[in-house]
Amino acid sequence: MPASTYLKISQDINQTFLRFDGIKLSDKSFEFPLYYGFKISYRLKFVNPRTFVELEFIHSKVYSNPEQIVRAVGIYRNALVDSVIRFGDIVQNFSISHGLNYAILNYGYKVGLKSYIFPFLKFGVGISVPHFETTIDSLSFERYEVNDFVVQFSCGADFKIYKSVLGMVELKYTSGEIVNVGIYGGTAETFIKMFHFVFGLGYSF
């Protein structure tokens, strides 16, 4: 569930330098391409048996609705703008669908309740690799880029299903800026904050 955000665009090609505020986003997690992720954890027994490090990859997504009303401030085709407009009048598409990818290194703390449920807390830092997709004034552009840092806070629990097979539920919060990402004839910037509720299966070695 992504929070509302801003989009700043700089296009020398048509003398447009605008900031849009109040952009509502959706995630469409169960529509193709699907939201997914995976992680590999390692217990730090030499530090504390309850601590662990983890490598995690998250493939999330965000979409904007061009019909929404937003505030636009700046310069549009060399003319000053400061007004409330329909987003799609200038930006026909702003999405990150293939996707908003994160590679994160986590550090966590896990405890055992009885012998089959294991709550945990974790914090992580990583990088974003977004597939930024825009159509601005009918000029489309998209590509993957290694971009800025992202931070993650998370809590959840693992629980035994059968022998070494585990189930997992987790609530996570990610926050990260995307800067100087390519658009047609220029660059863009935004900030994505998102809550994720995830579930899945794991295996303990």
Side-chain angles (χ1 to χ4, degrees), residues 134-151:
T134 54
T135 302
I136 301 169
D137 278 342
S138 300
L139 300 173
S140 297
F141 189 85
E142 60 180 77
R143 71 181 178 194
Y144 287 101
E145 295 187 27
V146 177
N147 208 265
D148 213 348
F149 291 100
V150 60
V151 296

Side-chain angles (χ1 to χ4, degrees), residues 61-193:
K61 309 178 298 174
V62 295
Y63 299 83
S64 68
N65 182 350
E67 299 300 322
Q68 66 183 296
I69 303 302
V70 301
R71 183 159 200 89
V73 178
I75 299 172
Y76 178 59
R77 294 190 176 274
N78 218 24
L80 289 174
V81 172
D82 185 354
S83 61
V84 175
I85 65 168
R86 175 182 168 273
F87 192 37
D89 288 345
I90 298 175
V91 181
Q92 292 79 49
N93 177 43
F94 161 44
S95 59
I96 311 173
S97 64
H98 283 285
L100 181 51
N101 303 299
Y102 294 136
I104 300 174
L105 176 64
N106 296 311
Y107 177 80
Y109 187 86
K110 181 183 293 187
V111 298
L113 298 180
K114 297 185 178 180
S115 60
Y116 55 86
I117 186 166
F118 307 94
F120 60 80
L121 295 170
K122 64 184 183 183
F123 165 76
V125 178
I127 59 170
S128 64
V129 187
H131 185 267
F132 212 76
E133 303 137 17
T134 54
T135 302
I136 301 169
D137 278 342
S138 300
L139 300 173
S140 297
F141 189 85
E142 60 180 77
R143 71 181 178 194
Y144 287 101
E145 295 187 27
V146 177
N147 208 265
D148 213 348
F149 291 100
V150 60
V151 296
Q152 171 176 249
F153 301 91
S154 173
C155 64
D158 297 330
F159 51 92
K160 284 189 176 180
I161 295 177
Y162 178 75
K163 293 185 178 179
S164 295
V165 178
L166 303 174
M168 177 272 296
V169 292
E170 186 176 348
L171 177 65
K172 56 178 77 224
Y173 171 79
T174 55
S175 177
E177 191 173 27
I178 298 174
V179 296
N180 297 323
V181 67
I183 60 175
Y184 193 100
T187 60
E189 173 187 317
T190 189
F191 199 102
I192 305 296
K193 296 177 284 187

